[in-house]
Amino acid sequence: TELQMPIITCGGMRFQHTWMPDNLPISASSRTVLNSSSHTNLKNIIKACLRVGLNHFETARFYGTSEMQLVDALVEMIETGEIQRKD
């Protein structure tokens, strides 16, 4: 595709609320995860990264709830005007 990718990325393996994938019945509910201190911490991580020019966030399906949290945090922060999509 010849798209330019950043050399440095913010890895998402450790900012999850739980290691359990969100499709397992025993995992925490979305409401619990998105109201947790780990979710607030994730939004602070996003802001800190963007302040220093880091805009590539890496995550994977089996990093627990990190994908769900990252998507929710980005959507919320864009909707409230804290960040812009172009960031």
Side-chain angles (χ1 to χ4, degrees):
T1 64
E2 297 186 31
L3 291 174
Q4 297 294 312
M5 293 294 295
I7 295 172
I8 301 173
T9 184
C10 178
M13 183 174 79
R14 300 254 180 231
F15 57 59
Q16 79 284 353
H17 176 73
T18 178
W19 280 103
M20 298 301 242
D22 58 6
N23 62 345
L24 294 179
I26 59 173
S27 68
S29 72
S30 296
R31 182 175 305 284
T32 300
V33 170
L34 300 178
N35 290 325
S36 71
S37 60
S38 65
H39 193 62
T40 301
N41 187 49
L42 172 56
K43 291 193 284 187
N44 291 331
I45 290 168
I46 293 169
K47 287 183 225 175
C49 287
L50 293 176
R51 268 195 306 273
V52 297
L54 185 62
N55 62 3
H56 184 256
F57 297 90
E58 176 267 331
T59 188
R61 179 69 186 100
F62 285 98
Y63 283 1
T65 57
S66 67
E67 280 189 334
M68 176 183 65
Q69 286 180 256
L70 183 61
V71 168
D72 185 78
L74 290 171
V75 167
E76 180 183 324
M77 295 170 78
I78 290 169
E79 287 178 350
T80 61
E82 289 181 77
I83 63 173
Q84 295 182 358
R85 176 136 170 58
K86 67 180 182 174
D87 294 335

